[in-house]
Amino acid sequence: MKESKCQECEHTNDFKGCALKHITTARKLLAEGDIKGAEHQLNCVERHLKEI
C-alpha cells in the first residue's frame, strides 16, 4: 500500500514544502556527520517525488 502522506512532517498536504523540509534536515544531518539520518531524509524526498 502506497502512503501518500509523510508521517514525520507538518507539511503533509504540501509535497513541495515537505520535500524542502526533508532536504534541509538532510543537510543539517550531513553537517553533523549523521549519514544514516540524512539518507533517511533523502529517501523521504525521493518517495514524495514519486507520488507527484
Side-chain angles (χ1 to χ4, degrees), residues 1-26:
M1 183 171 152
K2 188 175 183 180
E3 253 184 54
S4 63
K5 297 192 180 205
C6 176
Q7 301 300 320
E8 303 173 22
C9 186
E10 69 271 11
H11 300 288
T12 56
N13 294 317
D14 175 15
F15 285 126
K16 182 179 177 181
C18 194
L20 288 172
K21 180 177 182 200
H22 287 299
I23 290 168
T24 301
T25 302

